[in-house]
Amino acid sequence: MKVCKFGGTSVGSVERMKNVANLISDDHPKIVVLSATAGTTDHLEKIVSYIFNREIDEAHNEITKLEFYFVDFANKLLKDDCIKRQAIDYILDRFRLLWNFTRNSFTVADEKEIVAQGELISTALMSFYLKEQKKSNVLLSAFDFMRIGPDGEPDMEYIEKHLSELIKKYKGIPLFITQGFICKNAYNETDNLKRGGSDYTASLIGAAINAEEIQIWTDIDGMHNNDPRIVKNTTPIKKLSFEEAERLAYFGAKILHPFCIAPARQKDIPVRLLSSIEPQAEGTLISKSQDDRIIKAIAAKDSIFYLKFESNHALRPYLFTSKVFDTFARYQTSLCLLTSSSTDISIATDNNEALPRIIRELSKYANVTVEDHMSIISVVGNMKWQYTGFEAKIMEALKDIPLRMISYGSTNNDVSVVVKTSDKKKALQALSNSLFEDKMLV
């Protein structure tokens, strides 16, 4: 059985939803994970904001707009009057819930309940359309099997048990439709896996059922070797290792959620990135195999804060290092990059929530420099230390760009630098021009 995930853009119009239905309508057993139609989650979050601020008239206007949108979508998607009536009744029932939220008190759990409606309605519309096309399918509610524990992490034992039981109920049916992103938490409240979580849902489902392959369908023909929105003449990458793909996703490649690789890697399940707009394109295959090409791709991550801690020698070097790390850990602030000497430490992070408190505490032991509006640029590939030349090639390409930080050695898969965000475009283009013209490196 395969797991196929389609993003909001892939089902963002009637024609695109029909196209996805055609792509999944072969007889190969599969579980299809769908996001809400494009723009729906943003619309629902706007409704949440209005209700939270008790701007009820504005909330009513937004709910009305979205309700008309989905009813119109159903009218255009479906032809059979009986099935169309069922679909519209389902939509109206979902919106009764939204209307009720404008009349009652409002909680964080209610906020997530509202946002979940986009996935629920979009998957129901797909299921109704497949039914109209005489394609046997089962609509599974993610709330019946997808759960996170008290720590916010997926409860894999629960997911495996409950998903297996659901699938066994429908022997002989090859096609299951379910929602991405949404789940229940340990207290049986509606929750979610955060933005981009549909990829994560697909990977968790794939791991739970030991799928033969996880397919992530978007509107792009695979992962490119640089950001096509910024750099000219990028090309799709045919093959990546799990580690390479994970680094690219973490450092800014938008096509893939950073968390979705780990479950697939643990079960050794290939992940294939495909395009619903160009289904004939080869896309990108992510697996455990590692080829000899040194440099595969470049990615960039914005909204980075650079911090430099220069020890004032109030603590011995090993105690100073421990103090810095312990402080970041206590405030649950992760580090994107780190470089250090015996007495000085440089850190790049994308989480500034607790930085004022961290800086205040560590100012007792260090002179602290902070810079914002920074970006991490990561060159990713098979970069074993025994290979020579690639570090010099990267530095040569960036010779005209001020570098605030350089990091290499923590893995065999990337060389990363921190630059001003204003220099990012120039740096990405310079790296592309230099690295991908050298066939020995790629």
Side-chain angles (χ1 to χ4, degrees), residues 56-301:
I56 301 304
D57 287 342
E58 288 82 356
H60 285 173
N61 289 336
E62 293 301 322
I63 293 172
T64 299
K65 288 178 188 176
L66 193 59
E67 187 172 13
F68 280 143
Y69 163 78
F70 274 118
V71 170
D72 184 59
F73 199 107
N75 276 316
K76 291 177 179 176
L77 178 69
L78 303 165
K79 303 300 181 187
D80 183 284
D81 288 337
C82 180
I83 294 176
K84 186 186 294 187
R85 186 69 259 164
Q86 292 176 49
I88 292 175
D89 285 346
Y90 179 85
I91 292 168
L92 296 178
D93 185 59
R94 294 286 95 201
F95 274 88
R96 285 189 196 99
L97 181 69
L98 297 187
W99 289 112
N100 285 337
F101 283 123
T102 67
R103 304 183 186 104
N104 304 319
S105 59
F106 196 62
T107 68
V108 173
D110 294 334
E111 172 187 340
K112 292 177 178 177
E113 189 74 43
I114 288 176
V115 173
Q117 302 310 307
E119 269 73 15
L120 293 170
I121 294 172
S122 299
T123 50
L125 286 170
M126 174 62 81
S127 183
F128 281 123
Y129 179 71
L130 290 166
K131 181 179 178 182
E132 184 180 80
Q133 300 301 306
K134 312 300 182 188
K135 299 295 183 182
S136 181
N137 74 97
V138 173
L139 179 61
L140 298 177
S141 173
F143 293 144
D144 291 336
F145 64 88
M146 188 61 62
R147 188 172 79 168
I148 55 177
D151 58 356
E153 295 298 319
D155 185 342
M156 283 307 297
E157 184 177 349
Y158 182 96
I159 295 168
E160 290 176 10
K161 178 178 183 294
H162 286 76
L163 183 55
S164 175
E165 289 174 354
L166 284 171
I167 292 173
K168 286 178 181 177
K169 287 184 181 179
Y170 302 100
K171 287 185 178 179
I173 295 182
L175 182 58
F176 296 88
I177 310 295
T178 195
Q179 305 83 31
F181 173 64
I182 64 176
C183 63
K184 290 287 187 178
N185 62 28
Y187 312 103
N188 204 36
E189 298 168 331
T190 296
D191 214 315
N192 59 61
L193 300 173
K194 309 298 183 290
R195 282 291 186 136
S198 293
D199 289 358
Y200 198 17
T201 298
S203 188
L204 292 169
I205 289 174
I209 66 170
N210 287 305
E212 61 185 273
E213 185 173 276
I214 299 165
Q215 298 179 349
I216 307 294
W217 293 76
T218 68
D219 56 346
I220 302 173
D221 58 339
M223 191 175 285
H224 279 229
N225 62 2
N226 210 327
D227 190 336
R229 298 166 300 179
I230 297 175
V231 176
K232 298 177 182 178
N233 303 319
T234 65
T235 58
I237 312 163
K238 293 182 179 180
K239 293 181 180 180
L240 289 169
S241 69
F242 287 126
E243 291 77 15
E244 290 165 346
E246 199 165 42
R247 301 305 285 176
L248 286 169
Y250 179 76
F251 284 117
K254 301 298 184 185
I255 191 173
L256 196 62
H257 191 284
F259 293 164
C260 85
I261 295 298
R265 181 179 60 211
Q266 288 166 7
K267 292 291 186 75
D268 192 18
I269 301 170
V271 177
R272 197 179 295 272
L273 309 181
L274 297 163
S275 169
S276 57
I277 296 174
E278 298 181 70
Q280 72 283 354
E282 185 177 353
T284 301
L285 177 64
I286 301 167
S287 67
K288 70 176 181 180
S289 65
Q290 175 76 274
D291 61 36
D292 291 332
R293 290 177 303 146
I294 299 175
I295 293 176
K296 308 290 179 57
I298 304 161
K301 187 180 184 76

Side-chain angles (χ1 to χ4, degrees), residues 403-417:
L403 305 181
R404 200 65 181 89
M405 185 174 173
I406 303 170
S407 176
Y408 170 66
S410 58
T411 78
N412 287 328
N413 297 113
D414 72 274
V415 173
S416 297
V417 299

Side-chain angles (χ1 to χ4, degrees), residues 31-76:
I31 298 176
V32 177
V33 178
L34 295 184
S35 299
T37 57
T40 298
T41 300
D42 289 337
H43 203 128
L44 288 165
E45 288 182 342
K46 187 185 294 186
I47 292 169
V48 166
S49 178
Y50 283 137
I51 297 175
F52 180 80
N53 293 314
R54 304 315 295 169
E55 298 175 83
I56 301 304
D57 287 342
E58 288 82 356
H60 285 173
N61 289 336
E62 293 301 322
I63 293 172
T64 299
K65 288 178 188 176
L66 193 59
E67 187 172 13
F68 280 143
Y69 163 78
F70 274 118
V71 170
D72 184 59
F73 199 107
N75 276 316
K76 291 177 179 176

Side-chain angles (χ1 to χ4, degrees), residues 360-374:
R360 185 164 57 249
E361 286 195 24
L362 292 178
S363 292
K364 302 172 187 175
Y365 312 103
N367 298 317
V368 185
T369 301
V370 183
E371 297 178 28
D372 59 2
H373 303 294
M374 308 296 281

